[in-house]
Amino acid sequence: MQFEILGPLRVTDAGPVKVSGQRRRILLVALLTHANSAVSNEELLDWLWPRCPPRSAQATLHVYISTLRRALEPYREPWQPAERLLTHPTGYLIKVADGELDVLRFERLLAAATPALDEGDAQRAYELASEALAWWRGPALADAAAVDAARGEITRLEELRLSAETVRVKALLALGRHRDVVPELTRLVAHYPLHEPFYVLLMIALSQCGRRADALAVFRRARTVLAREVQVAPGRDLRRTEAAILAGELD
């Protein structure tokens, strides 16, 4: 069985597994963000009814759990104990085997890509980071995007995604593929306009392609965006990169 939450929830087991109903989908996402660890009833209720849970919330949670169990273990007899979605003294726990959850696959690949880049193996770093990013199909925990309880995990995963993107483009630069990385970095700058490291890398790539004027234009764009959106000046790395380009140190 495969569980995917780096995008809209998707469950497959020799074919799609239907998880119907928005709250049931949110419930499964909540459990998967704590895969192989118990999630308390109180926390699950906070995911499902963050502001004003109904009086029947606890009973409804039990119904949702039963529905999920039938979806995840359709051949289990009612008298047989659940093997996938377990009852815990404080709540519930979903068991996920190695390789069954996209988040765990992504994190494992990223954890291998980062030291590969640090150790000078740019090709391996590029391949690992690319494979890691291939697991993303959209915003993290898309089904729970409006759930306050999910925001911490969404932020954590998006930051890891930025790390993977950074490793990937740094690896391409280390491989001398400056022209290849310019369109990728242009896309990343447009998608993450407040993330200064992408501006820095784009400036470096353009400069090493012989496009000094374009690289300096990126600095001016970054300065304008940062001033307009968050009222700050370019950071040290951006300023140093501009100075290096003006001095001809990155050509």
Side-chain angles (χ1 to χ4, degrees):
M1 184 168 280
Q2 294 290 322
F3 299 95
E4 299 177 41
I5 56 177
L6 295 176
L9 174 68
R10 185 163 67 184
V11 183
T12 55
D13 186 18
V17 175
K18 185 177 181 180
V19 180
S20 59
Q22 184 63 21
R23 283 203 169 94
R24 291 179 182 86
R25 294 174 68 83
I26 290 172
L27 174 59
L28 183 52
V29 168
L31 291 163
L32 288 169
T33 61
H34 300 79
N36 300 315
S37 297
V39 188
S40 70
N41 288 324
E42 290 74 15
E43 187 171 354
L44 293 173
L45 293 177
D46 194 37
W47 278 70
L48 295 171
W49 296 281
R51 293 174 181 83
C52 187
R55 291 183 180 180
S56 61
Q58 190 67 57
T60 304
L61 172 60
H62 294 326
V63 172
Y64 288 168
I65 290 290
S66 296
T67 304
L68 286 179
R69 281 176 171 155
R70 287 195 296 273
L72 300 178
E73 298 183 71
Y75 304 111
R76 181 177 62 86
E77 297 293 341
W79 50 267
Q80 292 178 316
E83 296 182 353
R84 175 69 70 174
L85 181 47
L86 310 181
T87 300
H88 186 270
T90 62
Y92 297 95
L93 177 153
I94 189 165
K95 291 179 66 176
V96 174
D98 187 50
E100 287 188 331
L101 179 60
D102 60 351
V103 169
L104 299 180
R105 284 175 174 256
F106 165 74
E107 290 178 337
R108 187 180 304 115
L109 289 163
L110 176 57
T114 302
L117 183 63
D118 293 340
E119 293 163 9
D121 192 345
Q123 183 62 41
R124 177 164 172 75
Y126 168 74
E127 292 170 356
L128 289 167
S130 297
E131 187 178 351
L133 289 165
W135 284 102
W136 285 76
R137 298 172 295 107
L141 317 187
D143 295 85
V147 177
D148 290 345
R151 288 180 182 172
E153 181 65 3
I154 290 172
T155 299
R156 185 186 77 86
L157 290 170
E158 289 293 347
E159 288 176 352
L160 289 177
R161 186 181 194 177
L162 288 177
S163 296
E165 295 278 15
T166 301
V167 169
R168 184 175 182 276
V169 295
K170 282 184 175 180
L172 284 172
L173 287 172
L175 291 167
R177 295 171 58 181
H178 310 114
R179 286 180 172 80
D180 293 340
V181 84
V182 167
E184 185 76 7
L185 281 166
T186 301
R187 175 186 67 82
L188 290 169
V189 163
H191 196 69
Y192 302 100
L194 301 180
H195 191 65
E196 292 190 40
F198 288 151
Y199 288 106
V200 170
L201 292 170
L202 179 55
M203 291 168 67
I204 292 170
L206 288 167
S207 182
Q208 292 180 340
C209 288
R211 298 169 58 182
R212 181 187 295 188
D214 290 336
L216 293 172
V218 169
F219 176 82
R220 293 193 296 273
R221 188 197 326 163
R223 182 175 59 195
T224 299
V225 170
L226 292 170
R228 182 181 66 238
E229 299 297 331
V230 288
Q231 294 79 53
V232 299
R236 182 180 61 181
D237 288 345
L238 267 172
R239 297 195 307 272
R240 285 182 173 179
T241 304
E242 181 203 29
I245 292 170
L246 289 170
E249 297 173 1
L250 297 180
D251 295 346

